[in-house]
mmCIF file of all heavy atoms in Angstrom:
data_model
loop_
_atom_site.group_PDB
_atom_site.id
_atom_site.type_symbol
_atom_site.label_atom_id
_atom_site.label_comp_id
_atom_site.label_asym_id
_atom_site.label_seq_id
_atom_site.Cartn_x
_atom_site.Cartn_y
_atom_site.Cartn_z
ATOM 1 N N LEU A 54 6.068 1.771 27.304
ATOM 2 C CA LEU A 54 5.533 2.351 26.088
ATOM 3 C C LEU A 54 6.604 2.563 25.023
ATOM 4 O O LEU A 54 6.315 2.621 23.815
ATOM 5 C CB LEU A 54 4.819 3.673 26.328
ATOM 6 C CG LEU A 54 3.650 3.616 27.334
ATOM 7 C CD1 LEU A 54 3.165 5.052 27.631
ATOM 8 C CD2 LEU A 54 2.507 2.780 26.819
ATOM 9 N N VAL A 88 -5.708 12.831 27.645
ATOM 10 C CA VAL A 88 -6.423 11.827 26.865
ATOM 11 C C VAL A 88 -7.545 11.226 27.694
ATOM 12 O O VAL A 88 -7.490 11.143 28.923
ATOM 13 C CB VAL A 88 -5.460 10.686 26.353
ATOM 14 C CG1 VAL A 88 -4.475 11.249 25.371
ATOM 15 C CG2 VAL A 88 -4.704 10.040 27.531
ATOM 16 N N PHE A 89 -8.587 10.807 26.983
ATOM 17 C CA PHE A 89 -9.719 10.185 27.683
ATOM 18 C C PHE A 89 -10.536 9.369 26.685
ATOM 19 O O PHE A 89 -10.407 9.577 25.476
ATOM 20 C CB PHE A 89 -10.599 11.262 28.331
ATOM 21 C CG PHE A 89 -11.245 12.226 27.349
ATOM 22 C CD1 PHE A 89 -12.538 12.023 26.904
ATOM 23 C CD2 PHE A 89 -10.555 13.331 26.858
ATOM 24 C CE1 PHE A 89 -13.135 12.878 26.008
ATOM 25 C CE2 PHE A 89 -11.122 14.202 25.952
ATOM 26 C CZ PHE A 89 -12.438 13.962 25.510
ATOM 27 N N ASP A 90 -11.359 8.491 27.220
ATOM 28 C CA ASP A 90 -12.209 7.684 26.362
ATOM 29 C C ASP A 90 -13.603 8.277 26.408
ATOM 30 O O ASP A 90 -14.269 8.289 27.436
ATOM 31 C CB ASP A 90 -12.249 6.239 26.868
ATOM 32 C CG ASP A 90 -12.732 5.266 25.812
ATOM 33 O OD1 ASP A 90 -13.599 5.677 25.005
ATOM 34 O OD2 ASP A 90 -12.227 4.121 25.774
ATOM 35 N N TYR A 105 -8.494 -3.679 34.280
ATOM 36 C CA TYR A 105 -7.276 -3.911 33.490
ATOM 37 C C TYR A 105 -6.160 -4.439 34.442
ATOM 38 O O TYR A 105 -5.276 -5.164 33.991
ATOM 39 C CB TYR A 105 -6.797 -2.699 32.750
ATOM 40 C CG TYR A 105 -7.647 -2.176 31.627
ATOM 41 C CD1 TYR A 105 -7.567 -0.901 31.160
ATOM 42 C CD2 TYR A 105 -8.562 -3.045 31.011
ATOM 43 C CE1 TYR A 105 -8.363 -0.438 30.131
ATOM 44 C CE2 TYR A 105 -9.332 -2.618 29.944
ATOM 45 C CZ TYR A 105 -9.232 -1.302 29.521
ATOM 46 O OH TYR A 105 -9.995 -0.851 28.478
ATOM 47 N N SER B 76 -12.174 0.904 16.774
ATOM 48 C CA SER B 76 -11.815 1.127 18.182
ATOM 49 C C SER B 76 -10.353 1.456 18.344
ATOM 50 O O SER B 76 -9.950 2.362 19.069
ATOM 51 C CB SER B 76 -12.211 -0.103 19.016
ATOM 52 O OG SER B 76 -11.841 0.072 20.362
ATOM 53 N N LEU B 77 -9.524 0.660 17.633
ATOM 54 C CA LEU B 77 -8.082 0.843 17.755
ATOM 55 C C LEU B 77 -7.585 2.167 17.187
ATOM 56 O O LEU B 77 -6.826 2.907 17.768
ATOM 57 C CB LEU B 77 -7.338 -0.330 17.156
ATOM 58 C CG LEU B 77 -7.290 -1.560 18.028
ATOM 59 C CD1 LEU B 77 -6.838 -2.785 17.242
ATOM 60 C CD2 LEU B 77 -6.318 -1.322 19.211
ATOM 61 N N ILE B 78 -8.082 2.495 15.968
ATOM 62 C CA ILE B 78 -7.622 3.730 15.333
ATOM 63 C C ILE B 78 -8.081 4.957 16.172
ATOM 64 O O ILE B 78 -7.318 5.920 16.365
ATOM 65 C CB ILE B 78 -8.105 3.859 13.864
ATOM 66 C CG1 ILE B 78 -7.427 5.078 13.206
ATOM 67 C CG2 ILE B 78 -9.578 3.998 13.746
ATOM 68 C CD1 ILE B 78 -5.991 4.883 12.810
ATOM 69 N N GLN B 79 -9.311 4.847 16.706
ATOM 70 C CA GLN B 79 -9.816 5.947 17.533
ATOM 71 C C GLN B 79 -8.971 6.122 18.792
ATOM 72 O O GLN B 79 -8.560 7.247 19.158
ATOM 73 C CB GLN B 79 -11.274 5.643 17.900
ATOM 74 C CG GLN B 79 -12.028 6.868 18.377
ATOM 75 C CD GLN B 79 -13.505 6.576 18.365
ATOM 76 O OE1 GLN B 79 -13.921 5.496 18.751
ATOM 77 N NE2 GLN B 79 -14.302 7.518 17.922
ATOM 78 N N SER B 80 -8.643 5.008 19.432
ATOM 79 C CA SER B 80 -7.794 5.056 20.667
ATOM 80 C C SER B 80 -6.424 5.611 20.327
ATOM 81 O O SER B 80 -5.813 6.328 21.141
ATOM 82 C CB SER B 80 -7.644 3.673 21.269
ATOM 83 O OG SER B 80 -8.845 3.043 21.389
ATOM 84 N N LYS B 81 -5.908 5.225 19.165
ATOM 85 C CA LYS B 81 -4.564 5.692 18.803
ATOM 86 C C LYS B 81 -4.535 7.176 18.508
ATOM 87 O O LYS B 81 -3.701 7.900 18.939
ATOM 88 C CB LYS B 81 -4.040 4.911 17.584
ATOM 89 C CG LYS B 81 -3.513 3.538 17.944
ATOM 90 C CD LYS B 81 -3.154 2.735 16.703
ATOM 91 C CE LYS B 81 -2.096 3.403 15.858
ATOM 92 N NZ LYS B 81 -1.783 2.584 14.644
ATOM 93 N N VAL B 82 -5.559 7.611 17.728
ATOM 94 C CA VAL B 82 -5.600 9.039 17.364
ATOM 95 C C VAL B 82 -5.815 9.901 18.573
ATOM 96 O O VAL B 82 -5.230 10.965 18.698
ATOM 97 C CB VAL B 82 -6.693 9.245 16.254
ATOM 98 C CG1 VAL B 82 -6.939 10.744 16.023
ATOM 99 C CG2 VAL B 82 -6.247 8.606 14.954
ATOM 100 N N THR B 83 -6.739 9.491 19.472
ATOM 101 C CA THR B 83 -6.995 10.291 20.669
ATOM 102 C C THR B 83 -5.967 10.115 21.750
ATOM 103 O O THR B 83 -5.850 10.922 22.686
ATOM 104 C CB THR B 83 -8.362 9.976 21.278
ATOM 105 O OG1 THR B 83 -8.343 8.605 21.722
ATOM 106 C CG2 THR B 83 -9.500 10.170 20.296
ATOM 107 N N GLY B 84 -5.193 9.061 21.641
ATOM 108 C CA GLY B 84 -4.157 8.779 22.705
ATOM 109 C C GLY B 84 -4.622 7.911 23.799
ATOM 110 O O GLY B 84 -3.870 7.495 24.683
ATOM 111 N N SER B 85 -5.965 7.603 23.843
ATOM 112 C CA SER B 85 -6.454 6.791 24.997
ATOM 113 C C SER B 85 -5.997 5.312 24.927
ATOM 114 O O SER B 85 -6.263 4.577 25.875
ATOM 115 C CB SER B 85 -7.974 6.878 25.043
ATOM 116 O OG SER B 85 -8.555 6.298 23.880
ATOM 117 N N ILE B 86 -5.312 4.929 23.868
ATOM 118 C CA ILE B 86 -4.752 3.564 23.796
ATOM 119 C C ILE B 86 -3.783 3.316 24.975
ATOM 120 O O ILE B 86 -3.586 2.201 25.362
ATOM 121 C CB ILE B 86 -4.018 3.351 22.416
ATOM 122 C CG1 ILE B 86 -3.622 1.893 22.216
ATOM 123 C CG2 ILE B 86 -2.786 4.212 22.309
ATOM 124 C CD1 ILE B 86 -4.689 1.008 21.753
ATOM 125 N N VAL B 87 -3.257 4.417 25.495
ATOM 126 C CA VAL B 87 -2.314 4.326 26.598
ATOM 127 C C VAL B 87 -2.965 3.607 27.818
ATOM 128 O O VAL B 87 -2.259 2.893 28.582
ATOM 129 C CB VAL B 87 -1.773 5.708 26.963
ATOM 130 C CG1 VAL B 87 -2.796 6.572 27.751
ATOM 131 C CG2 VAL B 87 -0.505 5.669 27.766
ATOM 132 N N PHE B 88 -4.254 3.741 27.986
ATOM 133 C CA PHE B 88 -4.911 3.088 29.154
ATOM 134 C C PHE B 88 -4.900 1.580 29.041
ATOM 135 O O PHE B 88 -5.026 0.896 30.053
ATOM 136 C CB PHE B 88 -6.351 3.612 29.266
ATOM 137 C CG PHE B 88 -6.471 5.049 29.429
ATOM 138 C CD1 PHE B 88 -7.381 5.804 28.691
ATOM 139 C CD2 PHE B 88 -5.655 5.754 30.322
ATOM 140 C CE1 PHE B 88 -7.477 7.188 28.808
ATOM 141 C CE2 PHE B 88 -5.753 7.143 30.463
ATOM 142 C CZ PHE B 88 -6.654 7.839 29.724
ATOM 143 N N VAL B 89 -4.768 1.084 27.818
ATOM 144 C CA VAL B 89 -4.690 -0.362 27.600
ATOM 145 C C VAL B 89 -3.253 -0.839 27.629
ATOM 146 O O VAL B 89 -2.938 -1.970 27.922
ATOM 147 C CB VAL B 89 -5.361 -0.759 26.279
ATOM 148 C CG1 VAL B 89 -5.369 -2.246 26.094
ATOM 149 C CG2 VAL B 89 -6.786 -0.221 26.216
ATOM 150 N N LEU B 90 -2.299 0.082 27.267
ATOM 151 C CA LEU B 90 -0.910 -0.300 27.154
ATOM 152 C C LEU B 90 -0.179 -0.239 28.486
ATOM 153 O O LEU B 90 0.812 -0.944 28.685
ATOM 154 C CB LEU B 90 -0.182 0.604 26.147
ATOM 155 C CG LEU B 90 -0.688 0.522 24.717
ATOM 156 C CD1 LEU B 90 0.050 1.468 23.817
ATOM 157 C CD2 LEU B 90 -0.614 -0.891 24.189
ATOM 158 N N LEU B 91 -0.644 0.601 29.423
ATOM 159 C CA LEU B 91 0.012 0.754 30.724
ATOM 160 C C LEU B 91 -0.214 -0.442 31.672
ATOM 161 O O LEU B 91 0.681 -0.820 32.414
ATOM 162 C CB LEU B 91 -0.368 2.052 31.430
ATOM 163 C CG LEU B 91 0.169 3.338 30.792
ATOM 164 C CD1 LEU B 91 -0.465 4.567 31.455
ATOM 165 C CD2 LEU B 91 1.708 3.401 30.940
ATOM 166 N N PRO B 92 -1.421 -1.010 31.672
ATOM 167 C CA PRO B 92 -1.664 -2.122 32.607
ATOM 168 C C PRO B 92 -0.964 -3.435 32.179
ATOM 169 O O PRO B 92 -0.490 -3.537 31.090
ATOM 170 C CB PRO B 92 -3.193 -2.306 32.542
ATOM 171 C CG PRO B 92 -3.717 -1.107 31.906
ATOM 172 C CD PRO B 92 -2.645 -0.607 31.016
ATOM 173 N N PHE B 99 -4.888 -8.931 24.839
ATOM 174 C CA PHE B 99 -5.203 -7.774 24.006
ATOM 175 C C PHE B 99 -5.915 -8.294 22.714
ATOM 176 O O PHE B 99 -6.978 -7.836 22.347
ATOM 177 C CB PHE B 99 -3.890 -7.050 23.643
ATOM 178 C CG PHE B 99 -4.050 -5.795 22.867
ATOM 179 C CD1 PHE B 99 -3.988 -4.570 23.455
ATOM 180 C CD2 PHE B 99 -4.166 -5.829 21.487
ATOM 181 C CE1 PHE B 99 -4.097 -3.401 22.722
ATOM 182 C CE2 PHE B 99 -4.278 -4.686 20.709
ATOM 183 C CZ PHE B 99 -4.257 -3.453 21.331
ATOM 184 N N TYR B 103 -10.106 -7.918 21.855
ATOM 185 C CA TYR B 103 -10.557 -7.151 20.722
ATOM 186 C C TYR B 103 -11.257 -8.003 19.692
ATOM 187 O O TYR B 103 -12.324 -7.593 19.123
ATOM 188 C CB TYR B 103 -9.393 -6.386 20.049
ATOM 189 C CG TYR B 103 -9.081 -5.083 20.716
ATOM 190 C CD1 TYR B 103 -8.041 -4.960 21.631
ATOM 191 C CD2 TYR B 103 -9.861 -3.947 20.426
ATOM 192 C CE1 TYR B 103 -7.801 -3.772 22.240
ATOM 193 C CE2 TYR B 103 -9.585 -2.720 21.043
ATOM 194 C CZ TYR B 103 -8.572 -2.634 21.967
ATOM 195 O OH TYR B 103 -8.312 -1.445 22.566
ATOM 196 N N ILE B 156 -4.013 -1.216 14.027
ATOM 197 C CA ILE B 156 -2.663 -0.977 14.530
ATOM 198 C C ILE B 156 -1.810 -0.360 13.402
ATOM 199 O O ILE B 156 -1.023 0.599 13.682
ATOM 200 C CB ILE B 156 -1.995 -2.296 14.950
ATOM 201 C CG1 ILE B 156 -2.698 -2.847 16.212
ATOM 202 C CG2 ILE B 156 -0.526 -2.121 15.249
ATOM 203 C CD1 ILE B 156 -2.265 -4.246 16.559
ATOM 204 N N LYS B 247 3.971 -0.606 16.124
ATOM 205 C CA LYS B 247 3.272 0.654 16.098
ATOM 206 C C LYS B 247 2.502 0.963 17.374
ATOM 207 O O LYS B 247 1.674 1.898 17.417
ATOM 208 C CB LYS B 247 2.283 0.692 14.904
ATOM 209 C CG LYS B 247 3.037 0.845 13.557
ATOM 210 C CD LYS B 247 2.146 1.558 12.546
ATOM 211 C CE LYS B 247 2.931 1.892 11.328
ATOM 212 N NZ LYS B 247 2.125 2.708 10.387
ATOM 213 N N LEU B 248 2.701 0.169 18.425
ATOM 214 C CA LEU B 248 2.029 0.459 19.686
ATOM 215 C C LEU B 248 3.071 0.866 20.748
ATOM 216 O O LEU B 248 2.893 1.778 21.524
ATOM 217 C CB LEU B 248 1.275 -0.780 20.201
ATOM 218 C CG LEU B 248 0.047 -1.158 19.394
ATOM 219 C CD1 LEU B 248 -0.561 -2.444 19.895
ATOM 220 C CD2 LEU B 248 -0.996 -0.053 19.409
#
Side-chain angles (χ1 to χ4, degrees):
Chain A
L54 300 174
V88 293
F89 64 95
D90 199 325
Y105 291 160
Chain B
S76 178
L77 279 165
I78 188 75
Q79 198 165 41
S80 311
K81 280 173 61 180
V82 169
T83 63
S85 63
I86 189 81
V87 75
F88 302 133
V89 183
L90 298 178
L91 289 172
F99 184 99
Y103 274 99
I156 293 171
K247 287 210 171 185
L248 292 175

